[in-house]
Amino acid sequence: MSLHSPVRSAASSRSAMATSPEAKLQSFLHWLYANGAELRGSTIQHCGADKGFGVFSAPTGDRRDDGIVMTIPLDLAITPMRVLQDPYVGPRCRALFEEGHVDDRFLVMIFLTVERLRHNSQWKPYLDMLPSTFGNPLWFLEEELAELKGTTLYQATMLQKKNLRALYDDKVKPLVEELLSHDGHLESVNEVRFEDFLWANSIFWTRALNIPLPHFYVFPESLGGQEKDSACKDHGSGVSATATVGETCVEVDGHKIKEANNVGEKRKDEDTSNAIVSKTIWVEGLVPGIDFCNHGLRSRATWEVDGDGSVTGIPVSMHLILAESNTLEAGKEILISYGNKGNEELLYLYGFVIDNNPDDYLMVHYPMEAFQNVPFADRKARLLEIQKAEFRCLLPRGLLCHGFFPANSLQTGDQKKISDDNLGFSPVNYSWSGQRKVPSYLKNLVFPQEFLTTLRTITMQEDELCRVASLLEELAGSREAQHLSDREVQAAVWEVCGDYGALQLLVDLLSAKIIELEEGSGNEDCDNELLEKFFAMVLQDLESESNPTKGEFLNKSKWSSIVYRKGQKQLARLFLKEAEHALEMCTTE
């Protein structure tokens, strides 16, 4: 963000009194318009207590022919540059940033925490529109969180809450109190609470976009070209961009749960590339208005950045554009895609799940602590390093379509491509000695070779280690270069060990995964019974004026947890079936 124009706190006195969703919305819209935003073919409406606000299509006659339904000047975006240039928090944050004590994301979270506590914040009309609580596990009550026991998400949530609490105690609370005390215009505020920072953290991860801004906008001449003041990424030339999805990760027991936010990707246009003179700087931030779009599997819109104003008439703005501008019925919600995410990511980040999610996945990992007790761990660790092996793997549901028990059939060409990619090294001259042939089951093996490579190495016996070393010495001695590639080492390990040990260990890991998932909550049938009771009670509530069961048995958080864990159990069972069949075939060959 740059110092082009300050955000005007229009109707700040009215917004202070706004309590109902309708009053908050009117105050926010007035604030948007006062700051140059345009809703051309869309409206923002309240969707209910559980859903908050959403963006809806206006009547066809009110829309532009180009499909643009909303335009927001990026002077309204809350970005790290905006924080550093803020008259109240900027000086202190800039000092901390230059010393390397905080990063870009932390700056935005601190800013949100402070502005939420300031009575006269110029961002109040926007902040009042944002949810005050969230459906992700960081906000679960103890009994709600218990529904996740046995899942990877339970471990991730417990670790993240611990990390956030430590960050709050060590850095956030004293910094926020200091920033508030330095603002001479502040009235007295309540004590800073952990929930204030947890709110800011959730707001950032559920709403932040990675915005591709023109270089001249992020680093105006008034800043003296001090690009070192920002950790923004320079991705070359281009001022027009369209939305895709990116991610960062929280790692638990070697497994990365993705914390994803919408990310912009440059539009490549070879015909006009020579005419573009500005570089693009990627800046994470919140864009009021655009960020009220909810998720849909079949998105109806995307967002784009207009650097020079040639598209919207508003330079350095973000606009929402319909995928099919003339076909969306008036009053329909305009949805965007948050990406192809499994329920683990959706629940962890956004607080919702999709029943029978086609993008669901299962994580399987070999515990690092267990590896320390494996015989000849040091020698095996060196082999694993050379092979670039993985101690974990994500198994998307879609892999099952190519296994021994496919949900649907694929064309032969598609199966071959997947098989070759899964193999990891060429089947030509698969065995150096010719004694071990390409296994017949390979074309249906759904498990990544990087992970099977790890399991092969872990299960190696002492004599097998010696034979692999002998093969590699023979190969290295046959040429001048002594360096062996990862694929050569993989091939040597496979020739000596085959797949039996790896598949047996994989079966054990998947069996243990099922036991862990079912402990305390039963199998899939138990989860289905709970969900059926829940739906029955929902119907009863709808039919009864007194709503006698409302709030009982299952709330939204518990329902989401059960849907997520049921999907994990189902995937674990299906992948175990695949592993057991592969092991059986391996035994007979």
Side-chain angles (χ1 to χ4, degrees):
M1 218 33 214
S2 62
L3 292 170
H4 288 71
S5 60
V7 176
R8 295 181 289 274
S9 60
S12 60
S13 59
R14 280 204 312 272
S15 67
M17 301 175 61
T19 54
S20 69
E22 292 76 16
K24 293 177 181 178
L25 176 58
Q26 290 306 311
S27 178
F28 174 65
L29 291 175
H30 190 90
W31 181 81
L32 278 182
Y33 296 142
N35 285 282
E38 297 181 1
L39 272 63
R40 303 181 283 198
S42 67
T43 61
I44 298 175
Q45 299 177 20
H46 191 246
C47 305
D50 292 337
K51 294 184 178 180
F53 294 91
V55 180
F56 293 78
S57 62
T60 306
D62 296 337
R63 301 181 205 165
R64 292 165 49 120
D65 294 336
D66 56 12
I68 296 175
V69 294
M70 182 186 298
T71 304
I72 306 295
L74 287 173
D75 277 330
L76 280 180
I78 300 177
T79 65
M81 291 297 290
R82 161 67 72 179
V83 178
L84 295 176
Q85 298 163 12
D86 185 82
Y88 298 118
V89 307
R92 179 65 176 129
C93 286
R94 178 177 289 274
L96 291 171
F97 190 68
E98 291 175 345
E99 294 168 2
H101 296 314
V102 299
D103 62 15
D104 284 9
R105 291 167 178 166
F106 184 81
L107 287 175
V108 175
M109 293 179 196
I110 286 293
F111 184 78
L112 289 170
T113 305
V114 170
E115 291 301 314
R116 190 189 196 203
L117 295 172
R118 292 184 62 219
H119 291 296
N120 295 318
S121 170
Q122 61 185 355
W123 303 93
K124 185 171 178 56
Y126 169 59
L127 298 179
D128 282 346
M129 288 278 287
L130 301 179
S132 57
T133 60
F134 298 83
N136 67 62
L138 290 174
W139 293 80
F140 278 14
L141 300 175
E142 186 174 345
E143 61 267 24
E144 296 168 342
L145 193 58
E147 300 291 346
L148 294 174
K149 285 186 176 179
T151 68
T152 304
L153 189 51
Y154 178 81
Q155 302 173 55
T157 300
M158 299 301 290
L159 178 61
Q160 184 70 341
K161 289 183 74 171
K162 179 181 178 181
N163 291 340
L164 289 175
R165 171 64 75 171
L167 181 61
Y168 169 79
D169 291 336
D170 295 342
K171 187 176 293 184
V172 174
K173 190 175 189 295
L175 178 56
V176 171
E177 289 178 343
E178 177 187 351
L179 293 171
L180 290 172
S181 66
H182 288 172
D183 184 356
H185 297 84
L186 284 177
E187 303 172 17
S188 61
V189 297
N190 295 327
E191 181 182 358
V192 181
R193 303 171 303 157
F194 172 67
E195 288 72 17
D196 296 318
F197 175 59
L198 185 61
W199 172 87
N201 177 79
S202 296
I203 287 293
F204 178 86
W205 285 115
T206 57
R207 311 181 82 88
L209 304 175
N210 200 13
I211 312 164
L213 291 173
H215 185 280
F216 70 84
Y217 186 79
V218 179
F219 301 113
E221 293 181 359
S222 61
L223 291 180
Q226 297 177 5
E227 300 185 19
K228 63 182 178 67
D229 287 342
S230 175
C232 307
K233 297 178 181 178
D234 188 338
H235 282 245
S237 62
V239 293
S240 184
T242 185
T244 56
V245 173
E247 64 207 28
T248 187
C249 303
V250 171
E251 186 162 333
V252 180
D253 291 339
H255 168 48
K256 293 180 179 178
I257 289 186
K258 300 172 183 176
E259 291 187 327
N261 55 309
N262 294 328
V263 177
E265 180 182 281
K266 289 185 300 178
R267 177 189 296 166
K268 298 178 181 178
D269 190 340
E270 295 180 358
D271 295 334
T272 61
S273 61
N274 291 333
I276 299 176
V277 296
S278 297
K279 292 182 178 180
T280 295
I281 308 297
W282 297 79
V283 180
E284 285 183 298
L286 309 179
V287 184
I290 300 288
D291 64 348
F292 287 107
C293 289
N294 291 314
H295 170 71
L297 286 177
R298 301 180 63 181
S299 61
R300 292 167 171 164
T302 186
W303 56 261
E304 297 184 0
V305 168
D306 182 11
D308 57 10
S310 60
V311 177
T312 63
I314 302 177
V316 196
S317 62
M318 180 179 287
H319 54 276
L320 189 67
I321 183 169
L322 297 179
E324 299 176 359
S325 59
N326 296 322
T327 60
L328 186 59
E329 183 180 344
K332 292 291 185 179
E333 187 169 8
I334 299 174
L335 303 173
I336 62 175
S337 174
Y338 293 177
N340 300 326
K341 294 177 172 56
N343 281 339
E344 190 168 277
E345 292 178 72
L346 292 176
L347 183 55
Y348 184 78
L349 289 172
Y350 306 107
F352 68 87
V353 296
I354 298 173
D355 203 3
N356 297 314
N357 188 341
D359 297 308
D360 235 349
Y361 58 79
L362 178 76
M363 189 281 295
V364 181
H365 80 283
Y366 186 87
M368 289 297 296
E369 58 272 19
F371 179 73
Q372 305 304 320
N373 298 320
V374 169
F376 314 106
D378 291 342
R379 294 167 64 183
K380 292 178 180 180
R382 176 57 181 159
L383 284 174
L384 289 170
E385 181 182 0
I386 296 173
Q387 295 175 91
K388 301 176 182 177
E390 297 285 347
F391 276 80
R392 66 179 183 276
C393 71
L394 291 181
L395 301 173
R397 178 187 292 273
L399 287 176
L400 294 167
C401 297
H402 318 303
F404 300 107
F405 311 99
N408 51 25
S409 61
L410 289 178
Q411 296 181 355
T412 304
D414 292 334
Q415 288 180 330
K416 184 178 186 303
K417 180 181 186 303
I418 293 169
S419 172
D420 290 348
D421 289 345
N422 189 42
L423 180 60
F425 44 91
S426 174
V428 179
N429 297 325
Y430 196 77
S431 173
W432 295 344
S433 65
Q435 295 177 357
R436 190 182 295 279
K437 303 299 183 182
V438 177
S440 62
Y441 53 81
L442 185 64
K443 65 180 181 180
N444 296 114
L445 196 61
V446 299
F447 303 100
Q449 280 295 325
E450 293 83 1
F451 190 58
L452 290 178
T453 292
T454 300
L455 302 186
R456 287 190 197 103
T457 307
I458 290 173
T459 56
M460 290 173 69
Q461 302 300 311
E462 183 177 11
D463 64 314
E464 292 173 329
L465 276 168
C466 293
R467 289 162 58 193
V468 167
S470 178
L471 282 174
L472 295 178
E473 288 175 3
E474 179 182 348
L475 178 61
S478 66
R479 59 192 184 194
E480 294 182 3
Q482 299 298 307
H483 176 71
L484 296 174
S485 70
D486 57 329
R487 293 195 175 191
E488 288 172 329
V489 178
Q490 289 173 11
V493 172
W494 183 84
E495 178 164 345
V496 170
C497 302
D499 287 331
Y500 180 81
L503 291 173
Q504 181 62 68
L505 181 52
L506 180 59
V507 167
D508 294 342
L509 291 175
L510 288 166
S511 299
K513 182 79 172 179
I514 292 176
I515 293 173
E516 184 180 19
L517 286 167
E518 293 183 350
E519 184 179 2
S521 62
N523 58 21
E524 294 170 61
D525 291 337
C526 297
D527 291 334
N528 283 327
E529 290 179 10
L530 289 174
L531 294 174
E532 287 172 4
K533 290 180 180 179
F534 173 74
F535 285 123
M537 289 188 174
V538 169
L539 291 176
Q540 181 179 344
D541 286 349
L542 293 175
E543 295 171 357
S544 173
E545 294 182 0
S546 59
N547 292 334
T549 64
K550 189 173 183 179
E552 298 179 4
F553 185 66
L554 280 182
N555 57 26
K556 180 181 177 182
S557 298
K558 288 186 177 181
W559 179 85
S560 297
S561 299
I562 293 172
V563 170
Y564 158 64
R565 81 182 185 209
K566 183 190 79 169
Q568 293 289 287
K569 294 172 185 177
Q570 181 187 62
L571 289 177
R573 175 176 52 80
L574 292 173
F575 280 112
L576 176 60
K577 185 178 180 181
E578 292 283 335
E580 289 176 334
H581 191 75
L583 178 61
E584 180 181 351
M585 294 188 69
C586 178
T587 304
T588 60
E589 291 193 2

